[in-house]
Amino acid sequence: MLIRTPKLSELKENQLTAQSVYSNRRNILKGLGYLGAGALLTGNKANAFNLFGTADKSPFKTRDLSFSQLTSEIDKQILTPDQKVISHNNFYEFGTGKSDPVEASQNFKVDPWTLKIDGLVEEPITLGYEDLYKAFDLEERIYRLRCVEAWSMVVPWIGFPLQKLLQKARPLSSAKYVAFETLYDPKQMPGQKSRFSGGGIDYPYVEGLRLDEASHPLTLMSVGLYGKTLPPQNGAPIRLVVPWKYGFKSIKSVVSIRLTDKMPPTTWNRLAPSEYGFYANVNPQVDHPRWSQGSERLITTGNLFNRNRVATKMFNGYEEVAPLYKDMDLTRYI
Ligand code: MTE
């Protein structure tokens, strides 16, 4: 059984790199007890943006998905503080700086939303905005997120395994890969207006997984974090989270999931194939051509220097995925 619930005593900061930090609490969220729109948390008024981007001036509202027993039980020290998770972002559609997404995305409209699952499937599926929260039991999972830029966070996500969605769509035997696409809407996403403003990316942002990777129980479609629906800067209303791969694989604001028989193009690989592979598994033995991947800066209080540097683990500590790659040479750049 791959899914396990760690004992709370296991989840100490000094053990983070020694083991997977992963939790599965189906029962907490079963039945989806979200409390409706507009449930804002009171935040520090001195901050430009309060919890989940619900800035005083922001029209964007998150809503409760559930009271999170898990995140309140666990020593807050092991989780990256919520204010960091929602203000230190990569989302080039809203600018290339870490603070651009929270500032530029607060008018982003997530309702109505359409997510299509099609291609080589028996049963194409279309999910609307409310379906994202209701079609599957939601689970809370604490995952490490390791960016290819050598920083990392520990995030309590809420979502459902992609496997569940794929099972419902029933992939044909010819399906070998899954291709993902982010919304293309330059009116709402300033980075998509020109290559210059969007970091040279040819939008929409696209990603891909092998079907067996996509079907792994760790692969999550996330609709929330820290007990709330996702704020726009983190990929509202739905994003992928693949914890054993570099963060760029975890594509945000997904509108299309297509089953295919060919390896799909992926945004960063297309942009710089010598720097970003299709697989992009976290691997401390294979350095990025311009920097080491042997260690990472654990983002906690925002210290820019090396105080929170920890060793990077193979597969980001999720060793249970190793069998997926047993026939591959992991000392190569892939
Ligand atoms: N998805 C889209 N559509 N656009 C992006 O620029 N950035 C990726 C990934 N998903 C990105 C994206 C990168 S590089 C990382 S590290 C993670 O999102 C960051 O997720 P976070 O901002 O929630 O921490």
Side-chain angles (χ1 to χ4, degrees):
M1 185 64 181
L2 290 161
I3 293 178
R4 68 188 191 90
T5 303
K7 292 192 202 83
L8 292 182
S9 59
E10 287 182 316
L11 292 165
K12 289 282 177 275
E13 184 150 38
N14 62 3
Q15 291 178 302
L16 266 181
T17 55
Q19 65 178 62
S20 308
V21 174
Y22 163 56
S23 181
N24 165 25
R25 295 284 292 253
R26 290 166 205 277
N27 46 355
I28 291 179
L29 297 163
K30 206 158 191 149
L32 187 71
Y34 70 74
L35 302 176
L40 302 185
L41 294 192
T42 49
N44 176 0
K45 288 251 154 74
N47 288 341
F49 293 91
N50 291 330
L51 192 64
F52 297 97
T54 50
D56 290 338
K57 287 169 284 178
S58 169
F60 194 87
K61 304 269 187 283
T62 55
R63 59 189 199 184
D64 283 346
L65 286 173
S66 115
F67 287 110
S68 167
Q69 281 175 20
L70 183 63
T71 50
S72 55
E73 278 168 28
I74 289 174
D75 183 351
K76 287 282 192 292
Q77 274 196 330
I78 71 143
L79 299 172
T80 302
D82 44 21
Q83 287 295 335
K84 273 284 156 198
V85 176
I86 65 167
S87 63
H88 176 281
N89 298 103
N90 276 334
F91 200 169
Y92 276 34
E93 286 85 338
F94 293 105
T96 55
K98 295 284 177 281
S99 60
D100 292 341
V102 68
E103 282 162 18
S105 68
Q106 298 309 307
N107 288 312
F108 188 54
K109 284 210 165 33
V110 296
D111 183 12
W113 193 265
T114 305
L115 169 60
K116 286 202 157 127
I117 299 90
D118 58 14
L120 300 174
V121 294
E122 278 179 40
E123 197 79 42
I125 297 173
T126 301
L127 297 177
Y129 177 71
E130 286 296 332
D131 301 329
L132 302 178
Y133 308 101
K134 291 182 173 155
F136 303 95
D137 286 343
L138 298 181
E139 304 175 20
E140 184 164 64
R141 294 185 179 195
I142 294 179
Y143 280 162
R144 293 166 41 74
L145 174 79
R146 171 47 159 95
C147 180
V148 75
E149 298 163 341
W151 53 261
S152 64
M153 294 187 181
V154 183
V155 182
W157 300 106
I158 293 170
F160 55 86
L162 175 57
Q163 188 188 49
K164 296 271 164 67
L165 186 53
L166 296 173
Q167 276 163 3
K168 214 170 176 182
R170 289 187 286 146
L172 301 176
S173 58
S174 52
K176 301 283 180 267
Y177 294 91
V178 185
F180 303 82
E181 213 172 283
T182 293
L183 178 73
Y184 180 70
D185 186 354
K187 281 206 187 88
Q188 291 205 77
M189 295 172 143
Q192 291 180 336
K193 284 189 181 139
S194 76
R195 287 213 176 175
F196 178 73
S197 59
I201 290 174
D202 201 2
Y203 290 102
Y205 194 103
V206 289
E207 257 307 333
L209 294 172
R210 238 169 39 195
L211 180 56
D212 58 347
E213 299 177 310
S215 307
H216 192 279
L218 284 172
T219 305
L220 196 72
M221 293 308 297
S222 170
V223 295
L225 54 83
Y226 263 107
K228 299 261 173 185
T229 53
L230 286 178
Q233 62 273 24
N234 291 89
I238 186 162
R239 68 167 304 165
L240 180 70
V241 181
V242 193
W244 71 92
K245 293 180 179 284
Y246 291 120
F248 66 84
K249 298 293 291 181
S250 292
I251 182 173
K252 296 177 170 183
S253 304
V254 177
V255 292
S256 167
I257 298 179
R258 176 161 289 175
L259 283 280
T260 157
D261 54 358
K262 291 183 193 62
M263 185 182 273
T266 59
T267 287
W268 285 98
N269 178 250
R270 220 162 41 184
L271 199 64
S274 62
E275 301 193 2
Y276 309 101
F278 173 84
Y279 285 92
N281 293 320
V282 175
N283 187 345
Q285 283 137 40
V286 180
D287 287 336
H288 185 280
R290 290 182 280 131
W291 59 82
S292 164
Q293 294 293 21
S295 69
E296 65 206 50
R297 182 167 56 90
L298 187 57
I299 296 206
T300 51
T301 55
N303 186 332
L304 281 174
F305 304 100
N306 286 353
R307 250 181 49 201
N308 299 316
R309 232 172 162 89
V310 294
T312 292
K313 295 276 172 195
M314 187 68 204
F315 299 123
N316 204 19
Y318 300 92
E319 304 92 354
E320 57 264 57
V321 301
L324 293 173
Y325 310 104
K326 61 181 187 323
D327 299 326
M328 289 172 64
D329 179 1
L330 297 175
T331 61
R332 273 188 326 116
Y333 193 82
I334 47 171

